[in-house]
Amino acid sequence: ETGYLNAEVPIYKRTMTTYSRFGNWMIYVLFVISIVSLVVSGLSIMTVMMSSVNERTVEIGIKKAIGASKTNILAEFAVEALTISLLGGIIGCVVGTALSLAVSFVLLQQALLKPQIILISLACSVLIGLSFGCVPAIKASYLKPIDALNSD
């Protein structure tokens, strides 16, 4: 009977080591996937904002011609980038929470949902949106009124 127990201990240790290595590997893979998705979402926000600036060039020129400052134009586009990223973050949190609850229901496990994690993910979404939205906002704020009005 002792030989049986002694034989099981090394198998258990090897199994736990394998699961531990797999878990560590999965953490790195998920980290890389999350970084790539953040960059892609940031570039998507930048593209939307750049097209918004290009479509509203005449509007920006009129605003600057009647006295809008660089700060006013910059704030307008920064709020737009903030709104887009915040809405995207909220949608992502809702979908992520729903998927987490659905998977936990199917696997008969309790989902680990912490409000702090959700708030951090929303903050990251807003930070990414603002940082990638700054380039188009700065471009818009530095347009000269005469050039903007002549762009048509």
Side-chain angles (χ1 to χ4, degrees):
E1 200 171 309
T2 52
Y4 176 74
L5 290 176
N6 289 337
E8 290 296 318
V9 172
I11 292 172
Y12 172 75
K13 285 184 181 177
R14 281 186 276 155
T15 304
M16 289 307 295
T17 303
T18 303
Y19 283 137
S20 177
R21 286 182 188 158
F22 181 73
N24 290 339
W25 181 77
M26 282 301 291
I27 288 171
Y28 294 127
V29 168
L30 292 174
F31 179 75
V32 169
I33 290 171
S34 67
I35 294 296
V36 169
S37 69
L38 285 174
V39 170
V40 168
S41 65
L43 290 174
S44 298
I45 289 173
M46 185 185 290
T47 303
V48 168
M49 294 300 297
M50 279 298 217
S51 67
S52 177
V53 168
N54 290 336
E55 289 174 5
R56 294 165 46 191
T57 303
V58 175
E59 176 188 332
I60 294 167
I62 292 171
K63 286 180 180 181
K64 291 195 87 163
I66 61 172
S69 66
K70 288 181 182 178
T71 308
N72 292 355
I73 303 297
L74 185 66
E76 178 183 342
F77 284 96
V79 167
E80 190 173 329
L82 173 80
T83 304
I84 291 170
S85 61
L86 187 60
L87 283 174
I90 290 170
I91 291 169
C93 286
V94 168
V95 170
T97 301
L99 285 174
S100 177
L101 291 172
V103 168
S104 69
F105 179 75
V106 169
L107 297 177
L108 302 174
Q109 297 289 323
Q110 185 176 358
L112 181 62
L113 298 172
K114 293 185 178 182
Q116 299 92 343
I117 301 294
I118 294 172
L119 290 176
I120 289 171
S121 65
L122 280 174
C124 287
S125 172
V126 168
L127 184 66
I128 293 291
L130 283 177
S131 60
F132 278 86
C134 279
V135 173
I138 290 170
K139 178 186 175 197
S141 69
Y142 277 96
L143 282 174
K144 294 179 182 174
I146 193 71
D147 295 334
L149 290 171
N150 287 332
S151 68
D152 269 346

